Amino acid sequence: MKITKAVIPAAGLGTRVLPATKSMPKEMFPIVDKPAIQYIVEEAVNSGITDILIITNRGKGVMEDHFDRSPELEKALDKPEKYEMLETVKDISTLANITFIRQIETKGLGHAILRAKSFVGNEPFAVMYGDDVIVGEDPAIGQLIRAYGEFGKGVVGVKLVPEEEIHKYGSLKVEKLHDNIFKCTDMIEKPDTPEKVLSCYSILGRCVLPPEIFDILEKTPAGKNGEIQLTDAMKQIAITEGMTAVEYTGTRYDMGNKLGVLQASIEVGIRHPEISEGLKKYLKEFVKNI
Ligand code: UTP
């Protein structure tokens, strides 16, 4: 079945990047000249997604404005020397069919995904975490969608995380199938003792889920941090039907983490045609003194 719908949960409080997130969603943090969420929407569109639901929260209306038309701005840009930017600005509102729904209470990622039940209906769908920007030649969610086509099971996008940090992430039981593709038969969210660690492969930012996830989420009790954890619901699918794990290519930037925000700006900036030379020159000078 073709996957055309994506859900972007973007209703988290972003407490790791306070005070910036007090009134500004981390999903709107810019990476050079585009907000994080636009990179994610473009990745979806480049993977064949046509319909996107963004889960928001109070104070996140700025994301809706970003994907809407902006008549005053467009009028101001309507002159020959600004035509290119005018097109860029207009194109944002036609990237995909984007709708928004509020989570109302911040009760965890699983609780946020549950808000997408009627949007998704009875088909498999993509989940793209709103604070995980993945930059690469081959769009990450497209790689997962291909794996769904190959195995017909739910897919999780994974990367290896350092052993000393696995307690902050989910940990997966995996078995290699071929290349960068694994079978996943179990998972645990934030293992708090070394015995609970299943491997250093962790779900980072992307999944393709079957619609059965909603029935499971409805019965999933609050887990770690008192939140309804998506990992707890996916675990049910992993141990019963099995899931596929794809160690996707591309660099992931965690926009919910101070260092991740800076890394994204520097690495994307280095490749940005307009500022590449200036940034390289600046960095070379700057590192001499640190
Ligand atoms: P995170 O756990 O990284 O986001 O969730 P957070 O809760 O904002 O993080 P803290 O406060 O810094 O620890 C991953 C994704 O899920 C969304 C977040 O917006 C983020 O994109 N999310 C999280 C929700 O939509 N709702 C929630 O209740 C929790």
Side-chain angles (χ1 to χ4, degrees):
M1 183 184 264
K2 205 162 172 250
I3 293 170
T4 58
K5 291 181 182 172
V7 176
I8 305 181
L13 297 177
T15 54
R16 288 166 295 149
V17 272
L18 276 169
T21 41
K22 188 169 173 238
S23 64
M24 155 73 92
K26 58 184 166 179
E27 295 82 7
M28 284 300 289
F29 285 172
I31 304 178
V32 185
D33 52 4
K34 269 194 290 190
I37 190 122
Q38 191 181 331
Y39 286 86
I40 298 172
V41 166
E42 287 173 353
E43 178 194 326
V45 171
N46 291 333
S47 306
I49 299 287
T50 53
D51 294 86
I52 298 174
L53 177 72
I54 301 180
I55 320 272
T56 67
N57 205 340
R58 275 171 298 283
K60 299 213 175 194
V62 66
M63 283 192 276
E64 298 185 40
D65 294 342
H66 185 72
F67 292 103
D68 196 358
R69 291 291 292 266
S70 178
E72 293 85 0
L73 178 63
E74 288 171 25
K75 199 162 165 243
L77 294 173
D78 195 4
K79 34 181 97 112
E81 69 276 18
K82 306 261 185 200
Y83 278 164
E84 210 181 314
M85 186 47 71
L86 176 63
E87 287 313 308
T88 304
V89 164
K90 278 181 158 165
D91 286 351
I92 299 170
S93 56
T94 58
L95 279 168
N97 301 319
I98 304 179
T99 45
F100 297 84
I101 194 167
R102 287 193 180 202
Q103 190 184 2
I104 303 178
E105 280 180 286
T106 314
K107 287 188 177 171
L109 181 56
H111 181 261
I113 297 298
L114 206 39
R115 301 292 292 132
K117 188 177 175 182
S118 59
F119 165 80
V120 167
N122 197 25
E123 43 187 292
F125 64 105
V127 175
M128 307 172 77
Y129 301 9
D131 57 354
D132 277 322
V133 171
I134 302 169
V135 178
E137 292 279 303
D138 188 8
I141 197 67
Q143 299 174 44
L144 271 64
I145 291 173
R146 290 202 296 274
Y148 184 86
E150 188 178 350
F151 297 99
K153 291 182 190 296
V155 188
V156 286
V158 303
K159 292 257 186 209
L160 276 170
V161 302
E163 204 175 337
E164 61 279 12
E165 288 187 24
I166 191 72
H167 66 280
K168 295 190 224 157
Y169 295 84
S171 167
L172 272 60
K173 186 173 175 192
V174 289
E175 200 181 298
K176 193 167 181 158
L177 290 169
H178 67 82
D179 304 290
N180 57 341
I181 312 233
F182 303 78
K183 186 164 128 187
C184 169
T185 50
D186 201 0
M187 58 182 78
I188 178 169
E189 180 65 25
K190 300 189 176 64
D192 49 17
T193 59
E195 303 75 59
K196 291 187 189 161
V197 174
L198 300 169
S199 80
C200 285
Y201 280 104
S202 186
I203 302 170
L204 293 183
R206 301 290 180 267
C207 339
V208 172
L209 297 174
E212 290 75 43
I213 194 77
F214 294 112
D215 289 342
I216 302 172
L217 276 170
E218 272 164 353
K219 296 186 204 103
T220 302
K224 284 271 152 67
N225 303 334
E227 296 184 335
I228 298 177
Q229 298 287 349
L230 182 60
T231 312
D232 292 343
M234 287 194 290
K235 179 189 168 89
Q236 295 305 315
I237 299 182
I239 55 182
T240 52
E241 293 159 37
M243 294 186 82
T244 306
V246 175
E247 191 177 8
Y248 57 81
T249 60
T251 309
R252 165 189 172 259
Y253 301 107
D254 180 0
M255 299 299 287
N257 168 304
K258 295 179 184 77
L259 188 59
V261 173
L262 293 174
Q263 284 167 334
S265 289
I266 293 169
E267 295 187 19
V268 174
I270 288 281
R271 292 189 296 272
H272 193 285
E274 218 177 297
I275 60 163
S276 174
E277 284 317 306
L279 181 61
K280 279 186 202 158
K281 200 166 157 225
Y282 161 74
L283 284 176
K284 280 179 189 157
E285 271 308 307
F286 186 74
V287 292
K288 284 183 193 160
N289 303 313
I290 54 174

